[in-house]
């Protein structure tokens, strides 16, 4: 991180911004490859959580390559058991990445199934 770091907290939202010396592609991998996330953020993916796991876990709910990743952040030890963490990435002219983390109590919405799910339509007989 550089000295150009800013953190703001508003109501139930925390925002941290800074410039990272790594490329957006490298930061993207750190946020999307489970082994790297476990190392960088010290948190397991939600599908790796076991009954004896304490503390937070995450699952990716949105991913726009090299620009945005959103997690549903789960932590049974706090009052808001599921929150949303958004990582916005922007390439910088020097090869680094402008990094913005927003953690809010917004509830994670499940990803909707596609309209053309190829499921047969549900029909009822006329009465």
């Amino acid at each position: 991180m550089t000295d150009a770091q800013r953190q703001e907290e508003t109501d139930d939202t925390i925002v941290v911004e800074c410039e990272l010396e790594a490329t957006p592609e490298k930061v993207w991998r750190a946020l999307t490859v489970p082994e790297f996330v476990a190392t960088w953020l010290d948190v397991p993916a939600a599908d790796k959580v076991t009954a004896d796991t304490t503390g937070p876990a995450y699952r990716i709910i949105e991913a726009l390559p090299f620009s945005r990743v959103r997690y549903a952040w789960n932590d049974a030890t706090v009052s808001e058991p599921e929150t949303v963490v958004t990582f916005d990435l922007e390439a910088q002219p020097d090869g680094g990445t402008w990094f913005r983390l927003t953690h809010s109590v917004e509830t994670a919405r499940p990803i909707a199934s596609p309209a053309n799910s190829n499921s047969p339509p549900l029909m009822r007989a006329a009465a």
Side-chain angles (χ1 to χ4, degrees):
M1 286 190 227
T2 66
D3 292 334
Q5 183 175 4
R6 188 176 67 149
Q7 180 174 354
E8 60 186 64
E9 195 170 330
T10 57
D11 298 328
D12 295 328
T13 300
I14 297 170
V15 178
V16 178
E17 294 179 313
C18 63
E19 186 170 343
L20 302 175
E21 294 177 4
T23 65
E25 292 81 8
K26 189 170 185 176
V27 177
W28 172 261
R29 287 177 42 88
L31 294 170
T32 58
V33 176
E35 296 79 15
F36 296 152
V37 175
T39 300
W40 197 33
L41 300 179
D42 193 29
V43 62
D47 63 345
K48 305 270 190 233
V49 174
T50 61
D52 61 346
T53 302
T54 59
Y58 75 97
R59 68 179 162 47
I60 295 176
I61 57 173
E62 179 184 6
L64 302 172
F66 315 120
S67 63
R68 173 177 269 203
V69 179
R70 295 184 85 204
Y71 294 165
W73 191 265
N74 303 288
D75 190 345
T77 65
V78 298
S79 62
E80 296 292 338
E82 184 169 90
T83 56
V84 174
V85 179
T86 303
F87 301 94
D88 290 305
L89 313 175
E90 185 180 318
Q92 296 299 293
D94 64 358
T97 302
W98 186 253
F99 176 88
R100 178 181 172 100
L101 176 149
T102 306
H103 191 168
S104 64
V105 295
E106 161 191 2
T107 37
R109 287 170 282 186
I111 299 172
S113 60
N116 64 346
S117 65
N118 295 328
S119 298
L122 188 59
M123 296 183 173
R124 293 186 177 164

